[in-house]
């Protein structure tokens, strides 16, 4: 099932911007920013191979204030425009 940002509809599977990435004993903690400016904290588990598995959004902030809203420069690859 594909999930989307509840504020702007950007697909969660395609983070707009990776802010930081930190290694943990279980994998990684990744801070991302959505196209609307909201921050997300994701946990990414590591498999035995080189692929990331088990991506989970554990926290999501609100969008930036009206004067600071970021507009996406383009639509995400392979996306279908969702009406709010």
């Amino acid at each position: 099932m594909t999930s989307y940002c509840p504020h702007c509809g950007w697909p969660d599977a395609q983070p707009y911007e990776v802010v930081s990435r930190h290694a943990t004993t279980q994998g990684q903690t990744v801070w991302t920013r959505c196209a609307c400016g909201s921050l997300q904290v994701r946990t990414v588990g590591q498999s035995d191979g080189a692929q990331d598995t088990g991506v989970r959004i554990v926290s999501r902030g609100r969008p930036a204030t009206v004067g600071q809203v970021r507009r996406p420069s383009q639509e995400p690859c392979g996306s279908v425009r969702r009406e709010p």
Side-chain angles (χ1 to χ4, degrees):
M1 182 171 110
T2 303
S3 62
Y4 299 90
C5 174
H7 306 294
C8 70
W10 190 267
D12 287 331
Q14 298 177 3
Y16 186 72
E17 176 184 15
V18 174
V19 178
S20 66
R21 188 179 297 264
H22 308 277
T24 65
T25 56
Q26 289 83 27
Q28 295 183 343
T29 298
V30 182
W31 287 78
T32 62
R33 187 174 306 278
C34 184
C36 66
S38 67
L39 283 172
Q40 300 171 356
V41 180
R42 299 167 182 242
T43 58
V44 182
Q46 289 291 338
S47 65
D48 292 334
Q51 294 179 344
D52 293 338
T53 59
V55 176
R56 188 172 144 220
I57 298 173
V58 294
S59 182
R60 186 189 309 261
R62 293 182 178 166
T65 59
V66 175
Q68 299 173 341
V69 172
R70 294 177 176 207
R71 297 287 179 217
S73 57
Q74 62 186 25
E75 292 293 320
C77 296
S79 69
V80 175
R81 183 83 176 157
R82 287 185 47 208
E83 296 299 322

